[in-house]
Structures are given as structure tokens and as C-alpha cells.
Amino acid sequence: MNEASMIGMLSTTVSFGALLYLACIGELISEKAGVLNLGVEGMMALGAVTGFLVALNTENPWLALLVAMIVTAAFASIHGIFTVVLGAEQVVSGLSLTFLGLGLSAFFGKSAVGNPPGAILSNVDWGPLSDIPWVGPILFQQSPMVYFAILVGLLTSFLLTRTSIGLALRGAGESASTVDTAGYSVVKIRLAAVATGGALAGAAGAYLTLSITTSWQDGATAGRGWIAVALVIFGAWKPGRAAIGALLFGGLLALKTRLQTFGVNFSPILLSMIPYLLTIGVLLIISIRARHRPSASPSEIGKVYRREER
Amino acid sequence: MTSDSPLAIELVDIWKRFPGVVANAGATLSVKKGTIHAVLGENGAGKSTLMNILSGVYRPDEGQVRINGEQHWFHSPSDALASGIGMVHQEFRLVPSFTVAENIVLGASEKIIRRSFIEKEVEQIAQQFGLAIDPTRPVWQLSMGERQRVEILKTLWRKAQILILDEPTAVLTPAEADELGNVLRKIAEDGRTVVFISHKLHEVTAFCDEATVLRGGKTVASSLKVEEVNESDLAGLMVGSSPMISERPPYQEPGEAMLTIEGLGTLDDRFLPAVKNLNLTIKSGEIVGIAGVSGNGQREMAQAIAGLRPITSGKVTISGKDLTNAPPSERFTAGLGYVPEDRLGVGLAPRLTVTENAILRSYKNLRKSIFLVSEQAVNYCKEIIERFGVRTGPIDEPIAGLSGGNLQRLLVGRELSGNPKVVLAAQPTRGLDIQGVKAIQDLLIDERTEGAAVLLISEDLDELLTLSDRLLVMHEGEIVKEFDPTTAHRHDIGAAMAGKRDES
């Protein structure tokens, strides 16, 4: 392994990490408010195809990103309305969202398969910073989405711990009746959190097709949405810890794409399984640990809140 | 006293109907500013509904709410709070994972939370009214008494002029209750108004200036001066007829040991020790009462004995059979009847029918190969209903519509139907009306007469003193003292509940 390919791999780690992180923060916000959304994979796929198609037609990557986020926010709101307003089972509704999103993205993306991109989000040039050896190419020659992801992580952390709306959001996931008594609308908070989660999953998807693959093909998300869901648990519902997890899993995804170019003779199919095996492993360790200590999980996640029940 | 003070609260001819129940049927209430006013009544008298209307949780179907002479229509608790009304609910509205300060600031108008500033403010108010608390601690670490202080602070921090406390002493030790009385007096002297909901008469006469009595959703006595009435007058107004309380059963010689617990240890939900090295033997034909402030390991002990909570050390045997690691069903077969504290979660399944609930313990005996014989199940259910006087609707409908007393009769009936050797009853009469209490107490006495060993966990000291042959006090997971209920003084029991140990 030479220096160039090492730098290349670390740079890919950061970009894949940012992709996972965006979707993970979205899911974290939703779960903190008490709504588990297993539709991340579907939302991400829909965001990816929407971004790609809008870029193809308008040649404006920023508009493409914006439209992708709005569409997935609306798409996530289906889950929000079903689970928060109508009281449907969150797991079932979330899974349907995944299948619906994957199906819709395949359907609408059919014409775009094999097309070159209409526009891409080109890497940011930080001037002299980008020229620093190692650090420059790894941190300062990235897609704007990487910096967007960092910003989203910091903002979310601030929002959750330092603002009253963040307090209410966390309260909605911990003890909805308390938040209701305190004068907030649990339904509105949860709907907003789910929509925000959708927008961020969509941003992750648009990032994929507008910066990373710069093409669309069926199944482009390749299970990354599921990794984002696992990352929320891995990060113990904390934006900071989730960032570490995102880099770790980003590294594994990068390893998979890079290992072949290093000339290592290892089955790519087995290699593709590693992130998912690790996901299962993480969940296993966390559930074993949870038997001996209180869980960091929001205590009313998955529960429907109804008022004026006697 | 301020007999000429203006009225802070006027509730006029309030009606509130729920499906199948009229909770308030023309209730009225007038409270003078700067006083502590008791609202008295039995369970189901409509106290809580009336207070929920005053605090904006419910809207009245008819009637008027006037605050300081002005008519108000509250649409939500925050509406009421804006008019200066704060309510401390019986079930605390706190987020366990939040700190004291976070809980207090939740719902306030501040957009950005200045943590240290708020913590300082809270500390200041706490000192003014004598409410010792550390604003930086997470609520799940606090005792029930401390949590209540957080609730009171929450309303004071929001500048509430009217505080409503719903059965505030239910979770407190006698000493903590006295302390609460002092705090409330300071709040009233500050010019604020306190509404104190209770059914404990001695607290009303000790803390309050005036009392209003509700019965069956109506006001039966309005703004009585507490100085001018005595406890038995108030009791008479509450129940409307002479109270029926079970009598102490005649002494009987206990038989052989039925339930033996040696060195029992178990953990609470946070995996901290809840019960530590507990030893207890209950003989055939005796009732052993466990007193203690809730949260001192009684719940965990009961669950450990019933097999719902892993036992970390020690041994549980029922008439010689080691059941330490046995599943709940095996314990039932070995002769344990368990009446859990959480009637409608652990004890009964709300959406199952009366019959299904009745046979939950014995369905294995009511089947032919893998099929349930419904005829047998129905007969079994009818037997329980008849023997234990359960009043139900159709037995093939969900139990959710039954009253608290009948739910408990069904549950107790199911647990006693196997003629158990050991009866474990946790808070069996909590929240029941007087008839329900008497019925359940009589059933426990009958079990004793028939030779069962009864372990009774209760927060009602009168109940424990009346029914128990021996009374044990539990504190922080240990039994700190044993009393003879016929000679024990309340004061000494209270001291033991607060942790004062047996000197011997």
C-alpha cells in the first residue's frame, strides 16, 4: 500500500462517514422525540434518485439537494402521520417506508440509469489548507456535504442540550405526558422530528449521487441506511459518539471499495458483509450490556401518546 | 387567619361527564387568598376531576371557573399556568433522565437555556420556602419526597399564585409530611393560595385553614373552618354513613412455617441493590404486615418472591420446597397466591375478557390436549365471580370497564381460588372505595383463618395495624424493626419508616 492509496482510503473514510452521519443524526433526532423510523434506507434511496433527477434536469446541484430534502421530509411525514397521529406500529410503518422508498426510487430512476450526472456538488477548495500534506486531501478537499454533516452534528448537539425546544424534544421521547403538561404539543414535536430526520436521510442520499457515485443505479444505497440506524444505538443517542461510529463504519465501507485496488486477493462479496456483520455485533454487545445497566435509549420510543385517557 | 380575604378561586356548579361516569355533578368550591384549603372526599368523589378542571387539564361541560373574580376558560394546563395556577399531580410529571433544573425549565418561555442562571434561581426559591434540593441532580436519583419538592419548585419558579396539590402526602414518611406542612404554610404566608387534596383527615386538621368536602361529584360541605370541626365530622361528611372498617381478627396460634426467606437479595430496575439480606418467616394462620415508605424495596421484594425479579442471593422456600429459581407458574402450583401492586398491568390484562383473566393461572387444567374447553373455562370464571362477589358485565367482554374494586376482587379471587398456602398481597386495597377495602380485607382475614400464611405489603398504616399479627418495617431494602401491632405507637413506627433501627 503506497501513500497515495492510503490517503485515498482515509479521504473516502471521511466522505462515507459523513454520509452515514447525516442519516444517523436524522434518525437520532427522530428517535430522541420517541419515533423509531426504520425507513432510513428507503428515504435515502428516494433522496438519492430525486437529487440525481433534479440535477439532470436543472443542472443545479444545490437545487437538487434542496428538492431531495423536501421530498424525503414529506415522504418521512407519511411515517409521522401513520405512527404519531394515527397510532400505527412504528416498526411496521418504518419497514413499509423502506420498501416503498426502494420501489419508488427504482421506478423513477429507471430512465436515469447509465446517464452521466447533470451536475455534481464539487469539492470545496480551502486554498492553502487544502495543500497541507495528508490533512489537506483527507479533510480539506471534500464535498460540501462533509462540512454540512459536521455543521448538522454540532447544531443538533447544541439544540438538544442548550435550547428549550431541544429539551422538549428529548422530553417527548422520555416522558410524553410530562411534555404535554408543560404546554407543548407532543404530536407537533414528533412530526417535526420525523420530517427533519427524513430531510437529513434525503440529504445523505443526494450526497451519494451528487458527490460520491455521480450516477444512479438501482440499489445504490446498498444498506447504508441500515448502518445509520445501527449507528444511533452505537452512539448511545449522542451526536458526538455517533460521529466516532460514523467514521469507523465509513472506514469499513472505504476498505471494501479500496482493498481491491490495493491488489489484495479477498472475496469482495465477503468484504461487503463486514459492515453489516459489525452492525449485528454492535447490537449484540449493546443488548448484552443493557441487561446490567440502564439503557441510554429514550424510554418512550415506539410508544403512541394519547391525551385525555382515563 | 384571613377570614375577610378576597376569593382567589371560585368554581361554580361544575359538571363533567365521562363515558359512563359523571365525575362532577354540580361541584362548587370557594377558596380565600392566602389560605390552605383542603378538598376532601373518598376515591371517586370527583376531587381529581375538579382539580383537573381548575388546572386546565379538562374542560368542564357546564359551570364557571373564576380566578380572582375574573371568569376564565382554560384550554390547556399552560393556559391555567399563565393565570397563575400550578398543579402538583399525584403522579409526578417529571422526566426521569433530566436534571432538577431541566425539569423546572421545561415548558418555560426561554429559548436558550442558561443552565447556571436557572440553577441559581431555583436554589434561591428553594431556600426561601425551605425546600432543600440540588438542582443539578438527575430526577431518577431522587426520593419521592424530593421529586415532590421539584414539582412544587416548578410551580413556584413560574410564579404560580395558586398551588394545587393532589394527595401530596401519599408518598411521604410522616416526618416528610410534617415538613411539607411547614413549606405550604410558608407559601400561604407569602400571599399565595394552596389547595390541598386529601382523604387523610389528620393532615387536613393539622395543615389546613378551611375544608370543602365532595361526595359523589357534589359539594356536600363548603369552606368549613377547620378549627371549628373535628375529624369525625369530616369523616361522616365524606362517606355519608358510618365507615365500615374491618375489625381485628381474634388471636389464633400460628402453625408451622409456610414461607421462609433467607438472606434474600435483589436489584431494582437500575440494577442497584433494592433488597439486602432479608430474612422472614411466615407461619400458617398469621398475617405479617410490611410497612414502609414506598420505594424502600417492598415492590422488589414482592416481585422476587413471586418470581418476577431475579434473586441475586438467598433462598425462598414455600412449605419446605425451594423455589429460589423457579418460574412464577411453579410457585403458583407450590401454593403461592400473588396479588401484585400493579393491578392492571401485571395482575390483569385489560383487553382480555373477564373469563380469560379469570383462567390465566389455571388454563392448563381446563383443556383437552392442546384445546381450551370453553365450557370449563366459563364455569371456572363463574365460580370465582360468585365466590368472591365480583360484579361484572358480560363475562366475554374485556375487563377494562370494571370498577377498581371489582377488578381487585377478580384478581384476588383468581389468586385465592387455588387455596394457596402463602398469600402475597402488595397494596391490595390501594385506591379502592370503602366497600372494596372491606371486602378485600375480609378475604385476607378468611385466608388467615383457613391457615394460609399472608404477607401484606401496604402503605396504609391503619390497615396494617388492624390486620397484622406481626408488623415489620422496611427501610432501604432491610427490615429495620418489628412491632406488635396491638401495642405499637404510630410515632415509633414512623421513626422506623424513616430508618431508625432496632437497638437490640
Side-chain angles (χ1 to χ4, degrees):
Chain A
M1 192 186 301
N2 59 23
E3 192 181 310
S5 56
M6 190 69 201
I7 288 174
M9 204 193 86
L10 289 175
S11 158
T12 313
T13 297
V14 172
S15 66
F16 279 157
L19 175 108
L20 295 174
Y21 192 53
L22 271 176
C24 161
I25 290 295
E27 179 66 12
L28 185 147
I29 291 172
S30 178
E31 288 190 19
K32 273 285 186 190
V35 186
L36 177 71
N37 187 350
L38 295 180
V40 183
E41 181 75 10
M43 298 190 294
M44 201 189 263
L46 192 66
V49 83
T50 309
F52 194 74
L53 287 175
V54 174
L56 210 56
N57 291 310
T58 66
E59 296 180 9
N60 183 340
W62 295 104
L63 184 68
L65 173 66
L66 189 71
V67 173
M69 287 176 73
I70 292 170
V71 166
T72 47
F75 185 56
S77 298
I78 299 175
H79 179 63
I81 289 165
F82 268 93
T83 59
V84 179
V85 182
L86 303 175
E89 168 62 40
Q90 293 183 0
V91 171
V92 175
S93 168
L95 286 174
S96 331
L97 208 64
T98 281
F99 294 121
L100 190 60
L102 289 173
L104 286 175
S105 65
F107 177 73
F108 288 113
K110 221 168 189 175
S111 60
V113 175
N115 272 24
I120 60 166
L121 288 166
S122 35
N123 290 356
V124 181
D125 184 4
W126 293 86
L129 284 177
S130 308
D131 299 332
I132 306 171
W134 288 84
V135 179
I138 294 169
L139 294 180
F140 298 107
Q141 291 177 23
Q142 292 283 4
S143 161
M145 295 307 285
V146 170
Y147 312 109
F148 179 63
I150 294 169
L151 192 70
V152 163
L154 290 174
L155 265 178
T156 303
S157 188
F158 177 79
L159 183 92
L160 289 178
T161 55
R162 298 271 172 240
T163 69
S164 57
I165 189 65
L167 203 60
L169 187 141
R170 284 195 284 142
E174 293 283 354
S175 173
S177 62
T178 307
V179 171
D180 187 18
T181 321
Y184 293 99
S185 160
V186 173
V187 169
K188 279 186 199 159
I189 290 174
R190 288 186 171 175
L191 285 177
V194 173
T196 309
L200 290 175
Y207 173 30
L208 184 71
T209 46
L210 295 176
S211 267
I212 297 178
T213 60
T214 62
S215 67
W216 167 256
Q217 63 179 42
D218 211 3
T221 47
R224 293 189 181 99
W226 292 110
I227 300 180
V229 174
L231 272 178
V232 177
I233 303 169
F234 181 87
W237 288 267
K238 291 189 178 79
R241 273 178 68 171
I244 298 167
L247 283 175
L248 180 71
F249 279 83
L252 285 170
L253 291 179
L255 194 68
K256 176 191 138 195
T257 47
R258 289 275 164 171
L259 216 52
Q260 290 143 326
T261 63
F262 297 160
V264 179
N265 191 13
F266 191 76
S267 159
I269 296 167
L270 283 178
L271 206 58
S272 310
M273 288 165 58
I274 290 180
Y276 310 105
L277 286 176
L278 195 64
T279 303
I280 294 170
V282 165
L283 294 180
L284 193 67
I285 290 166
I286 285 165
S287 51
I288 290 170
R289 277 201 335 191
R291 289 165 55 194
H292 300 288
R293 67 172 77 179
S295 156
S297 143
S299 43
E300 287 188 0
I301 194 164
K303 283 188 192 157
V304 180
Y305 179 65
R306 293 234 184 280
R307 204 184 193 182
E308 262 215 32
E309 265 186 5
R310 259 172 71 105
Chain B
M1 214 127 302
T2 46
S3 55
D4 50 349
S5 306
L7 290 176
I9 306 167
E10 289 166 274
L11 297 177
V12 187
D13 200 24
I14 301 285
W15 285 75
K16 179 74 185 173
R17 301 171 188 88
F18 290 102
V21 200
V22 181
N24 286 149
T28 58
L29 174 70
S30 313
V31 182
K32 295 190 186 79
K33 191 169 184 296
T35 61
I36 305 179
H37 194 107
V39 175
L40 270 165
E42 281 256 73
N43 289 303
K47 291 170 301 191
S48 293
T49 306
L50 193 62
M51 291 306 113
N52 279 326
I53 286 170
L54 178 55
S55 66
V57 177
Y58 298 146
R59 273 171 253 178
D61 298 335
E62 284 168 46
Q64 291 182 4
V65 176
R66 273 181 242 147
I67 306 299
N68 297 323
E70 237 175 87
Q71 188 160 338
H72 282 267
W73 296 98
F74 297 135
H75 294 286
S76 67
S78 48
D79 256 14
L81 197 59
S83 303
I85 299 172
M87 177 142 177
V88 175
H89 290 271
Q90 204 174 352
E91 283 145 32
F92 299 145
R93 307 289 168 92
L94 297 171
V95 182
S97 60
F98 284 10
T99 67
V100 171
E102 282 178 329
N103 267 293
I104 288 172
V105 80
L106 181 68
S109 53
E110 273 86 347
K111 290 273 175 287
I112 304 287
I113 297 165
R114 292 165 299 166
R115 217 166 276 266
S116 55
F117 178 74
I118 287 155
E119 282 162 6
K120 214 175 285 169
E121 273 191 344
V122 169
E123 196 117 43
Q124 211 171 350
I125 302 170
Q127 246 162 30
Q128 185 188 344
F129 295 103
L131 293 149
I133 200 103
D134 175 1
T136 61
R137 281 180 72 191
V139 162
W140 63 264
Q141 290 181 352
L142 304 181
S143 73
M144 284 298 158
E146 288 172 310
R147 287 180 200 205
Q148 187 174 63
R149 280 179 230 156
V150 180
E151 285 281 13
I152 294 172
L153 276 170
K154 204 156 91 175
T155 60
L156 291 173
W157 186 78
R158 293 191 195 168
K159 312 202 163 41
Q161 291 302 313
I162 296 169
L163 271 76
I164 308 164
L165 293 99
D166 192 358
E167 311 235 353
T169 55
V171 295
L172 304 180
T173 61
E176 279 179 322
D178 286 346
E179 209 179 304
L180 175 70
N182 295 334
V183 170
L184 295 183
R185 183 51 65 195
K186 278 185 195 159
I187 292 172
E189 278 167 3
D190 195 47
R192 303 179 203 230
T193 309
V194 178
V195 180
F196 185 98
I197 305 171
S198 184
H199 55 210
K200 292 185 188 163
L201 298 169
H202 60 273
E203 285 166 2
V204 171
T205 50
F207 302 156
C208 301
D209 301 317
E210 293 190 335
T212 292
V213 185
L214 295 184
R215 193 199 319 145
K218 291 190 191 72
T219 302
V220 292
S222 191
S223 301
L224 301 169
K225 293 219 167 8
V226 166
E227 294 163 329
E228 295 167 8
V229 291
N230 59 35
E231 289 185 18
S232 48
D233 294 342
L234 292 174
L237 286 167
M238 273 166 70
V239 296
S241 59
S242 60
M244 306 174 292
I245 296 170
S246 305
E247 278 173 29
R248 163 161 281 280
Y251 177 79
Q252 67 183 44
E253 192 66 40
E256 57 186 306
M258 282 294 183
L259 175 68
T260 314
I261 297 168
E262 292 164 73
L264 179 76
T266 189
L267 304 178
D268 67 12
D269 296 338
R270 312 195 303 262
F271 303 104
L272 302 171
V275 176
K276 304 158 200 162
N277 191 26
L278 186 131
N279 295 296
L280 181 62
T281 304
I282 306 181
K283 295 180 183 141
S284 160
E286 70 171 352
I287 297 180
V288 173
I290 302 275
V293 178
S294 63
N296 273 289
Q298 302 96 312
R299 182 173 148 259
E300 287 82 0
M301 175 185 73
Q303 290 173 341
I305 298 171
L308 300 179
R309 188 173 282 276
I311 292 171
T312 49
S313 63
K315 210 171 144 187
V316 174
T317 52
I318 287 178
S319 60
K321 189 165 187 240
D322 185 352
L323 293 167
T324 310
N325 297 312
S329 59
E330 205 172 302
R331 293 173 202 235
F332 179 73
T333 330
L336 175 71
Y338 174 44
V339 181
E341 181 177 335
D342 183 4
R343 203 167 293 163
L344 257 188
V346 178
L348 299 165
R351 290 186 191 188
L352 295 190
T353 66
V354 178
T355 312
E356 285 164 341
N357 271 291
I359 62 165
L360 274 181
R361 282 287 205 182
S362 337
Y363 64 93
K364 283 181 185 157
N365 307 328
L366 304 170
R367 61 187 182 173
K368 207 173 217 173
S369 74
I370 59 164
F371 299 105
L372 198 61
V373 184
S374 65
E375 202 174 303
Q376 284 183 28
V378 167
N379 288 339
Y380 187 82
C381 174
K382 281 185 176 157
E383 251 178 62
I384 291 181
I385 288 177
E386 216 158 287
R387 186 171 150 202
F388 297 97
V390 190
R391 273 169 297 165
T392 73
I395 60 169
D396 53 358
E397 277 187 17
I399 56 159
L402 298 192
S403 74
N406 282 308
L407 285 175
Q408 190 68 341
R409 270 178 239 218
L410 178 66
L411 170 60
V412 172
R414 183 186 78 202
E415 294 301 315
L416 299 185
S417 62
N419 297 320
K421 294 175 189 156
V422 176
V423 177
L424 170 54
Q427 317 289 1
T429 61
R430 182 157 70 185
L432 303 185
D433 58 20
I434 278 182
Q435 286 173 1
V437 169
K438 173 146 171 68
I440 299 298
Q441 289 179 344
D442 286 348
L443 285 175
L444 293 177
I445 293 172
D446 290 348
E447 284 302 306
R448 169 186 181 268
T449 313
E450 281 165 29
V454 181
L455 178 58
L456 172 65
I457 302 170
S458 177
E459 278 161 16
D460 183 341
L461 207 48
D462 289 320
E463 173 171 278
L464 289 169
L465 287 170
T466 310
L467 297 185
S468 309
D469 295 297
R470 292 190 287 138
L471 178 61
L472 308 177
V473 176
M474 212 167 158
H475 176 72
E476 292 189 347
E478 291 171 281
I479 289 177
V480 288
K481 203 156 176 165
E482 176 166 343
F483 290 94
D484 175 352
T486 56
T487 58
H489 286 287
R490 274 167 179 276
H491 178 80
D492 299 333
I493 299 173
M497 282 163 73
K500 195 163 174 268
R501 286 184 164 270
D502 221 334
E503 276 85 16
S504 60

